[in-house]
Amino acid sequence: MGGTPVSQATHGLGGLKYDPTKKARAPEWNVLVALIAITVIFEILNRINGTSFLFNLRDNVPGLFNQQRIDIMLLQVSITGIIALGVTQVIILGGIDLSSGSVVGATAMIVMSFAQTAMVNGNPNPKAVLGDWAMDLPVIAPIAVGLACGLLAGLINGALIAYTKIPPFIATLGMMVSARGAARWWSNGQPVSFPTESYAGLANGDLLGTLTFGLFHWPGQNPAVIFALLAVLFQVVMIRTVYGKRTYAIGSNEAAARMSGIAVDRHKVLVYMVAGALAAVAAILLTSKNLTAQAGMGVMYELDAIAMAVIGGVSLSGGRGSMIGTVLGAMIFSVIISGFTSIRLDAYYQEMVKGVIIVGAVILDQWRQRGRARG
Amino acid sequence: MSDIILETRGLSKRYGGVHALEDANFILKQGEHVAVVGDNGAGKSTFVRQVTGVEQKSAGQIFFDGQEVNHAGPLEAREAGIETVFQTLALADDLDVPSNLFLGRELYKFRFGPFSWLDRKAMRDRTMEALKTTAVKIPNVDNPIRNMSGGQRQCVSIARTAAFASKLVIMDEPTAALGVQETAQVENIIRGLKERGIPMILISHNLRQVFDLVDRIVVFRRGRIVASLNKHETDGNDIVSYITGVKGGSDAAVA
């Protein structure tokens, strides 16, 4: 039947060459290639100076790799990377989240107030924000409070966007300003410090050791371990569950999603709430790592997170991208920063180059799309 | 009564002062394929939008499957059994073929709110099955449909409609933007629907196609139904004179 040999048609849009039988290569491969290329470039630049980017050249220290640099790189990338996982979902949905950095700041302040220890060196906690009732709480209390803060911020963002139909840029810009204000107001701009030991252990403990029953150890790198776990979790969620399918569908064609009976507005709220919760996780790990919370925490994190996603191939027009891409984008981001430091490039240049790389990544993405459309 | 799937009585739609559709009395029987033809702005698409619930009628009644209905939206109409291929493609470009076919009605391995686990294999298998029964050939269903030709995308859209078609299929100019081969393929899908006994309303400008595919032709002119003709009792010239108003007059309202 049929009689129309469409299976032999080898033309794409505009009738140009495109082989429809082949599975399109995942764009993540390009990001991986870029990551390797950038790493190799920094290795070469370091070798010219007689040093190494990744490898350990010193005889008095054991190990093949420069463990210190790798640890720093992973730590740098993990906190912002966790935020980027949420931002990625929002961008795939067709939105944008400018508030995540400020949500980190506000959550950090609030969460730390519930994580304080009553006695510091035998004296009452000099930085106490709340009364005695909030001292020495079990570690689950600050975690719950923190997640609640993130979910609330996401709920407000999502509800504004879904039900008042204002652009995500404006809604989350409002949250960005307000949450930063809340962070300063919470303790009149004073830092909140001296957490309980169990709270400090969240970031500084050895989660990998616990999870693998002591098979592996990686003390002090809990943010990296949690980042990896969350990345895997959300990669699976985005591919295998209806949550992910709907996020891609809405970002791809919102009108079609609506017509297909997807509760678009409710789903938007949910995605922004997930993003808020991930920002809260980042705030908890950041304060636990630093043992203090300051109102200025997380400034510019939202832009770093967006940059990681964009470098990782997440399309700002929605519908395209993945957690793996964002993780690779985050690693590129971190390699570039560490790489510049390793070749002793001035911090001012670093920021300037960072901007160029973000714009370059978007231009590349545009070219890639056009190239695909034309075959 | 029981063999009538869709009937409209006095169906009217006004946009402000413009009478886009007036007093449309239309009947579609079980298994019947009817074409709706007419000039641009004659009220064809307006008629479809009322029936599919995309817009709310100004006056009149719609009976579907023996009951008076008042669909608040396209989703409600779809749940009642009316599947529509709209002029603008309602597909998500970044999703693959199975995801598009099952958009909004996914199959699950287990349910857990928004984190319900998708049964990707079942969806893929049923997609292949649907493509087979509708004779649509898509080389690799796992590619996002963004990479496919306009015709292939339209075929996906129509395959979705045909696969889920339960009671009534409506196609609004399904071949308007397609090449010769792709048009032939869409026409094959329509013949398949006829064989399966699924009633259809086809909106088309292509009279050759209309005479090829349907049993009856309904002509719209200036918001009114001016003719309803069995295809064996009429010809192209006859239809054209109704479309242009040479025949039928301005106040003829036959159904």
Side-chain angles (χ1 to χ4, degrees):
Chain A
M1 52 216 261
T4 46
V6 172
S7 58
Q8 290 163 25
T10 53
H11 43 258
L13 295 173
L16 290 171
K17 223 178 104 189
Y18 148 70
D19 188 351
T21 55
K22 272 195 189 149
K23 176 118 181 74
R25 190 174 62 146
E28 284 78 15
W29 285 108
N30 297 334
V31 186
L32 181 63
V33 169
L35 173 64
I36 294 169
I38 292 168
T39 311
V40 169
I41 289 171
F42 278 120
E43 186 64 36
I44 292 169
L45 288 175
N46 269 284
R47 293 286 169 140
I48 292 170
N49 294 332
T51 57
S52 172
F53 181 52
L54 284 182
F55 298 97
N56 175 23
L57 295 184
R58 278 177 289 181
D59 296 327
N60 54 347
V61 187
L64 175 63
F65 292 103
N66 187 339
Q67 197 60 44
Q68 204 185 350
R69 175 168 288 141
I70 291 174
D71 280 357
I72 290 173
M73 265 165 46
L74 286 172
L75 200 59
Q76 269 178 346
V77 79
S78 304
I79 305 267
T80 337
I82 290 170
I83 301 169
L85 293 179
V87 169
T88 301
Q89 296 171 40
V90 169
I91 297 177
I92 290 173
L93 183 77
I96 193 84
D97 190 356
L98 296 178
S99 69
S100 45
S102 296
V103 170
V104 167
T107 307
M109 299 299 284
I110 296 168
V111 113
M112 201 60 172
S113 312
F114 288 89
Q116 287 182 303
T117 181
M119 295 302 223
V120 180
N121 297 328
N123 300 314
N125 191 331
K127 294 283 186 190
V129 177
L130 303 169
D132 285 342
W133 61 271
M135 295 296 156
D136 285 328
L137 293 172
V139 71
I140 190 71
I143 292 176
V145 169
L147 290 177
C149 289
L151 288 170
L152 179 69
L155 176 68
I156 296 171
N157 277 337
L160 279 173
I161 291 158
Y163 297 110
T164 71
K165 310 284 175 203
I166 59 175
F169 183 90
I170 301 299
T172 58
L173 183 73
M175 178 57 71
M176 174 187 177
V177 177
S178 298
R180 185 62 65 196
R184 298 216 171 88
W185 160 80
W186 183 256
S187 64
N188 296 318
Q190 296 297 310
V192 186
S193 308
F194 304 115
T196 59
E197 215 154 286
S198 52
Y199 187 78
L202 288 177
N204 298 300
D206 182 17
L207 182 62
L208 189 65
T210 315
L211 288 177
T212 60
F213 302 104
L215 195 59
F216 299 102
H217 289 285
W218 209 11
Q221 286 287 357
N222 281 1
V225 176
I226 292 170
F227 175 44
L229 289 176
L230 286 172
V232 171
L233 172 73
F234 278 104
Q235 174 71 22
V236 171
V237 163
M238 291 302 281
I239 301 298
R240 296 283 174 160
T241 73
V242 70
Y243 171 88
K245 194 60 77 186
R246 292 193 171 164
T247 307
Y248 280 104
I250 293 169
S252 186
N253 188 343
E254 190 175 328
R258 221 177 268 280
M259 214 176 266
S260 304
I262 296 174
V264 172
D265 295 331
R266 221 176 52 203
H267 191 79
K268 279 186 179 173
V269 175
L270 184 62
V271 173
Y272 279 94
M273 284 175 77
V274 169
L278 284 167
V281 170
I284 292 168
L285 290 172
L286 188 63
T287 48
S288 168
K289 187 81 201 162
N290 292 343
L291 307 175
T292 180
Q294 288 164 5
M297 266 179 169
V299 170
M300 295 284 278
Y301 277 21
E302 64 279 340
L303 296 183
D304 285 355
I306 292 169
M308 286 173 178
V310 166
I311 292 172
V314 180
S315 168
L316 283 173
S317 48
R320 259 167 305 155
S322 70
M323 294 298 145
I324 293 176
T326 296
V327 169
L328 291 170
M331 285 165 76
I332 288 184
F333 203 79
S334 154
V335 164
I336 287 170
I337 295 171
S338 296
F340 281 146
T341 311
S342 76
I343 57 170
R344 300 198 176 76
L345 191 75
D346 204 85
Y348 302 122
Y349 294 120
Q350 287 187 25
E351 297 233 316
M352 288 192 265
V353 174
K354 224 161 89 177
V356 172
I357 289 163
I358 293 167
V359 175
V362 176
I363 294 174
L364 266 176
D365 176 55
Q366 299 276 342
W367 281 351
R368 216 159 51 201
Q369 281 178 41
R370 251 177 275 161
R372 234 187 312 173
R374 285 188 193 145
Chain B
M1 184 66 200
S2 62
D3 70 331
I4 293 175
I5 184 74
L6 179 78
E7 179 176 4
T8 69
R9 287 184 203 155
L11 189 63
S12 302
K13 176 68 183 177
R14 287 170 216 109
Y15 302 103
V18 180
H19 294 234
L21 186 66
E22 266 201 87
D23 197 26
N25 297 309
F26 179 91
I27 286 178
L28 184 71
K29 296 200 185 83
Q30 286 287 6
E32 191 182 27
H33 278 198
V34 167
V36 169
V37 299
D39 212 347
N40 287 331
K44 313 184 296 287
S45 290
T46 310
F47 174 72
V48 167
R49 283 200 292 272
Q50 313 313 309
V51 173
T52 54
V54 173
E55 288 174 357
Q56 298 309 309
K57 59 186 189 289
S58 305
Q61 290 169 295
I62 301 173
F63 297 87
F64 180 65
D65 205 16
Q67 285 180 341
E68 178 163 11
V69 291
N70 226 332
H71 296 133
L75 186 62
E76 229 173 83
R78 197 181 77 179
E79 273 162 6
I82 303 177
E83 285 285 334
T84 314
V85 177
F86 291 100
Q87 242 169 334
T88 49
L89 288 176
L91 297 173
D93 277 351
D94 297 302
L95 300 184
D96 57 15
V97 177
S99 303
N100 265 296
L101 247 72
F102 287 90
L103 196 61
R105 47 190 157 195
E106 290 83 359
L107 304 177
Y108 303 108
K109 277 221 175 89
F110 61 84
R111 303 293 299 250
F112 187 65
F115 300 103
S116 299
W117 205 257
L118 296 169
D119 192 347
R120 298 203 299 178
K121 190 174 177 302
M123 288 197 278
R124 196 177 187 282
D125 290 349
R126 286 197 36 192
T127 299
M128 300 309 280
E129 214 174 285
L131 294 180
K132 221 169 123 191
T133 49
T134 52
V136 169
K137 293 189 185 95
I138 302 286
N140 188 338
V141 297
D142 300 321
N143 276 343
I145 61 161
R146 172 183 301 282
N147 295 349
M148 293 175 187
S149 72
Q152 286 173 333
R153 284 142 54 104
Q154 184 65 290
C155 284
V156 170
S157 182
I158 291 172
R160 170 167 72 176
T161 303
F164 289 98
S166 43
K167 291 175 181 167
L168 170 63
V169 171
I170 299 177
M171 296 197 192
D172 192 350
E173 304 203 28
T175 60
L178 300 189
V180 177
Q181 285 192 358
E182 295 158 345
T183 301
Q185 199 177 6
V186 169
E187 288 171 356
N188 273 327
I189 299 176
I190 294 173
R191 287 192 194 96
L193 286 175
K194 180 78 189 165
E195 278 165 28
R196 285 159 62 197
I198 294 164
M200 182 193 67
I201 299 173
L202 171 73
I203 299 184
S204 180
H205 275 299
N206 186 335
L207 286 184
R208 193 273 309 155
Q209 183 176 63
V210 164
F211 274 96
D212 235 21
L213 293 174
V214 305
D215 311 310
R216 191 156 58 88
I217 298 162
V218 171
V219 185
F220 275 68
R221 177 170 160 75
R222 292 188 176 167
R224 288 173 176 278
I225 294 178
V226 293
S228 169
L229 305 157
N230 195 310
K231 86 165 167 189
H232 299 298
E233 296 161 2
T234 180
D235 57 36
N237 287 333
D238 195 33
I239 295 293
V240 169
S241 36
Y242 278 110
I243 291 175
T244 53
V246 173
K247 272 191 186 176
S250 58
D251 52 359
V254 205

